């Protein structure tokens, strides 16, 4: 299978290395020193399950050099999806699968605004990983897993074949009964923890020490569930209980990637997390005061980060 990994950060880098190691025809789209290192020496993974290295068929920042792929895995941030889809559109065959693995609830919707519906799968991944140096990915936590499927949950031949490809590459994977629910379950976790961490500006352990901040987390999650239910998504209190249990057991030094982006003045996924909830709630005439407070407090900083990106 010809596979293009668009974006070789923590997610794209790890899964591109696993797929390339399994002798798939893998092309990596990357830039800068990271790209140069991959071109010269391949991509290295330092993993809690054992280090490994892989050589992709091609690593490039020039999409004109890329053969039309059978599968495109999006390894960029959720806010980058629209521009990525525009760049990738000329590469699509009628049967090319495009699989988003970003955090966020509306990645599929953003893709459908640009590329044909028949090309789009729905998905997410579970992994804690990041770029630790040029050409190097560190897998620091979680059993890596890709959860994916057709938007309508049909178990099509292409989905089953893709599951076999992932399994051959020793990537744990699941085609669930309800992919939208799975996406929102992760969205519930990441949105509950991320922006509040950016607002408090401290690691998770210090947030957990405050009953007040923990209560804000719970209220954030309850508002997300209310919006999800209004969209006929079967998120419920048991999912929030599991989120809070997970939060209680995380390393006290934990910071979410969106929190780190906020703290370092980079564009973040704020708009795709709390911002998305606020906008959907307004559309559905649902009050979400906690999510709106967090979003509005961080929005000016987010605006500055976007302006800085555009002018540099």
């Amino acid at each position: 299978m010809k596979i293009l990994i668009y974006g070789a950060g923590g997610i794209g880098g790890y899964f591109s290395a696993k797929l390339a190691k399994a002798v798939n025809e893998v092309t990596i789209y990357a830039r800068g020193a990271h790209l140069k290192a991959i071109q010269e020496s391949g991509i290295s993974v330092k993993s809690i399950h054992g280090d490994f290295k892989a050589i992709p068929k091609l690593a490039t920042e020039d999409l004109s050099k890329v053969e039309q792929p059978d599968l495109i895995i999006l390894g960029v941030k959720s806010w980058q999806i629209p521009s990525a889809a525009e760049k990738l559109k000329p590469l699509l065959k009628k049967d090319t699968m495009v699989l988003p693995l970003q955090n966020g609830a509306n990645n599929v919707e953003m893709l459908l605004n640009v590329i044909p519906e028949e090309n789009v799968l729905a998905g997410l991944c579970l992994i804690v990983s990041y770029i630790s140096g040029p050409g190097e990915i560190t897998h620091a936590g979680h059993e890596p897993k890709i959860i994916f499927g057709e938007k309508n949950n049909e178990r099509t031949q292409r989905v089953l074949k893709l599951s076999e490809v992932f399994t051959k590459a020793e990537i744990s994977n699941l085609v669930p009964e309800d992919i939208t629910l799975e996406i929102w379950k992760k969205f519930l976790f990441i949105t509950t923890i991320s922006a509040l961490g950016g607002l408090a500006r401290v690691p998770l352990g210090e947030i957990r020490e405050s009953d007040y901040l923990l209560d804000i987390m719970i209220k954030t999650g309850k508002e997300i569930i209310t919006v999800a239910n209004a969209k006929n998504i079967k998120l419920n209190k048991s999912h929030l209980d599991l989120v809070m249990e997970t939060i209680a057991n995380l390393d006290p030094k934990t910071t979410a990637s969106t929190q780190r982006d906020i703290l370092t003045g980079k564009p973040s996924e704020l708009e795709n997390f709390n911002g998305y909830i606020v906008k959907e709630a307004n559309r559905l005439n649902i009050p979400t005061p906690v999510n709106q407070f967090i979003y509005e407090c961080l929005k000016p900083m987010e605006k500055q980060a976007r302006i800085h990106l555009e002018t540099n």
Side-chain angles (χ1 to χ4, degrees):
M1 180 176 282
K2 293 179 181 177
I3 301 171
L4 169 62
I5 311 291
Y6 188 85
I11 291 173
Y14 176 85
F15 289 117
S16 66
K18 292 289 283 188
L19 288 163
K21 191 168 177 283
V23 201
N24 285 286
E25 293 186 56
V26 172
T27 295
I28 296 175
Y29 176 87
R31 293 184 295 179
H34 193 46
L35 170 61
K36 185 177 180 181
I38 295 170
Q39 290 172 330
E40 291 176 352
S41 305
I43 189 160
S44 299
V45 176
K46 294 188 178 300
S47 172
I48 55 175
H49 297 323
D51 300 347
F52 64 96
K53 185 175 183 176
I55 307 294
K57 179 181 179 182
L58 174 67
T60 183
E61 60 180 339
D62 183 356
L63 289 177
S64 69
K65 295 181 179 179
V66 179
E67 295 181 39
Q68 286 185 305
D70 303 306
L71 170 68
I72 299 173
I73 293 178
L74 294 178
V76 294
K77 299 283 190 178
S78 56
W79 60 272
Q80 297 172 308
I81 286 179
S83 62
E86 291 287 357
K87 292 175 184 176
L88 292 166
K89 192 174 180 179
L91 284 177
L92 300 180
K93 301 182 293 183
K94 187 175 181 180
D95 59 353
T96 298
M97 296 174 284
V98 180
L99 178 60
L101 296 181
Q102 293 71 21
N103 296 319
N106 66 329
N107 298 327
V108 166
E109 295 169 34
M110 289 190 286
L111 283 172
L112 292 177
N113 287 333
V114 181
I115 65 178
E117 183 174 3
E118 61 264 26
N119 292 115
V120 180
L121 296 177
L124 68 145
C125 67
L126 306 175
I127 188 172
V128 178
S129 56
Y130 53 89
I131 296 176
S132 48
E136 181 182 281
I137 304 296
T138 291
H139 164 220
H142 217 299
E143 178 64 37
K145 188 173 188 178
I146 293 176
I147 302 172
F148 73 103
E150 300 285 0
K151 301 178 295 298
N152 64 359
N153 298 310
E154 184 180 351
R155 298 180 74 84
T156 59
Q157 284 300 310
R158 68 176 184 172
V159 161
L160 297 177
K161 180 181 178 181
L162 185 51
S163 178
E164 291 177 2
V165 169
F166 289 149
T167 299
K168 183 179 178 182
E170 299 181 340
I171 298 171
S172 177
N173 65 94
L174 172 68
V175 180
E177 292 184 6
D178 187 342
I179 185 60
T180 302
L181 177 59
E182 295 301 319
I183 288 169
W184 274 78
K185 281 162 64 176
K186 186 178 182 187
F187 178 73
L188 176 65
F189 166 74
I190 205 70
T191 305
T192 296
I193 194 173
S194 293
L196 181 60
L199 191 56
R201 307 182 74 81
V202 293
L204 179 61
E206 294 183 52
I207 294 175
R208 284 194 308 230
E209 292 175 4
S210 167
D211 291 340
Y212 182 84
L213 293 178
L214 278 176
D215 184 59
I216 287 179
M217 280 189 176
I218 293 169
K219 288 175 179 175
T220 301
K222 286 180 177 178
E223 290 178 0
I224 293 168
I225 291 172
T226 300
V227 171
N229 293 164
K231 293 168 67 67
N232 296 315
I233 297 160
K234 299 175 183 178
L235 211 59
N236 60 49
K237 183 180 180 298
S238 69
H239 299 130
L240 180 57
D241 290 343
L242 183 58
V243 163
M244 296 310 296
E245 181 182 337
T246 300
I247 288 171
N249 290 314
L250 287 172
D251 188 307
K253 297 179 182 177
T254 297
T255 56
S257 61
T258 291
Q259 176 184 1
R260 294 192 295 274
D261 287 340
I262 290 169
L263 293 178
T264 54
K266 297 177 182 177
S268 77
E269 293 177 299
L270 174 69
E271 291 287 346
N272 305 87
F273 292 177
N274 306 81
Y276 174 73
I277 287 297
V278 170
K279 289 164 188 171
E280 280 296 279
N282 289 340
R283 183 180 68 84
L284 296 164
N285 199 28
I286 297 170
T288 53
V290 176
N291 277 275
Q292 184 162 9
F293 176 78
I294 294 169
Y295 172 60
E296 296 292 347
C297 284
L298 291 169
K299 189 163 64 170
M301 193 185 307
E302 182 69 21
K303 183 179 179 180
Q304 288 180 354
R306 298 295 175 99
I307 292 172
H308 182 74
L309 179 68
E310 291 171 3
T311 55
N312 287 275

